[in-house]
Amino acid sequence: PFRIAVLGDTHLSRGETVPPDAIDAIRGTEPDLILHTGDVVWLPGLAPIRKIAPLLLVRGNRDFMYWRELPAMVRIRIGCVRLLLFHGYGNLLGYARMKVISMRRNPAIREMNFNFPPEARDADVLVYGHTHMARAEVSDEKMILNPGALTEKANVYGAGKPSFALITVAQDGRVEAEIRARANGWHASCRVVNACHD
């Protein structure tokens, strides 16, 4: 199987790196690839993550310094599985709507799909961030995955619950995703399974 660790919304300050316990937890999954859903803010802070496995990332709405350096989305194909990585802020109107909902601390933000880009139609697995809320589900034969925010300070929706996700792609196209939260000792707190429909 091909293993992908997914993290996002690190919101690292200048000179800051990913917390050591999160680095150890990600390393422990033995990923072949690591994805970041954007809002890194301080790119050098991901240096310890880059030592674990190759890292692909997209820009988030807070990544002003890296706007030209980082792509808005990344498409990956592993066997028959088509994965789309993006941040999830959508257009300005969608961003404003999401901001109002998040300010009200409404859990409905977890299920908001209106900001998904048109490219999402052709993907089997959609990986996004921005809401800072972990999500793993299968809807309309698509796996939808948000790893949540990896750092304590980025969890703006109440008590801090840093998390990341792990995607496992089997040779037969079976895809399994799980959310790993610090509150659970970085063990899986949620697991979903799907298969590509090539």
Side-chain angles (χ1 to χ4, degrees), residues 4-7 29 145-148 163-167 177-180:
I4 307 169
V6 184
L7 52 135
T29 65
L145 182 68
N146 185 328
S163 60
F164 71 97
L166 180 66
I167 299 171
E178 56 190 50
I179 302 296
R180 295 195 170 206

Side-chain angles (χ1 to χ4, degrees), residues 3 9 20 78 165 169 182:
R3 296 164 69 81
D9 293 285
I78 302 162
V169 180
R182 188 173 75 190

Side-chain angles (χ1 to χ4, degrees), residues 97-168:
R97 181 176 171 203
M98 185 176 276
K99 201 68 174 168
V100 168
I101 291 171
S102 69
M103 287 169 57
R104 294 179 182 160
R105 300 191 191 284
N106 187 333
I109 197 169
R110 184 173 290 147
E111 283 84 33
M112 295 174 67
N113 296 342
F114 64 84
N115 277 346
F116 288 177
E119 291 83 355
R121 287 191 298 266
D122 299 328
D124 301 301
V125 181
L126 307 179
V127 179
Y128 74 104
H130 188 56
T131 67
H132 300 204
M133 297 184 80
R135 175 186 186 191
E137 67 180 67
V138 175
S139 177
D140 295 327
E141 297 186 346
K142 290 184 187 299
M143 182 174 284
I144 302 173
L145 182 68
N146 185 328
L150 185 67
T151 59
E152 183 77 30
K153 69 177 183 175
N155 282 269
V156 296
Y157 302 106
K161 296 181 181 175
S163 60
F164 71 97
L166 180 66
I167 299 171
T168 305

Side-chain angles (χ1 to χ4, degrees), residues 12 14 39-46 50 57-60 62-72:
L12 298 172
R14 182 176 289 272
D39 276 3
V40 178
V41 183
W42 176 243
L43 205 50
L46 295 180
R50 290 182 188 274
L57 37 112
V58 292
R59 66 177 179 246
R62 303 278 177 151
D63 293 323
F64 310 116
M65 293 194 316
Y66 311 108
W67 201 256
R68 291 179 184 220
E69 182 180 340
L70 299 176

Side-chain angles (χ1 to χ4, degrees), residues 168-189:
T168 305
V169 180
Q171 286 185 335
D172 64 0
R174 179 181 157 105
V175 183
E176 182 176 303
E178 56 190 50
I179 302 296
R180 295 195 170 206
R182 188 173 75 190
N184 291 5
W186 296 113
H187 295 292
S189 57

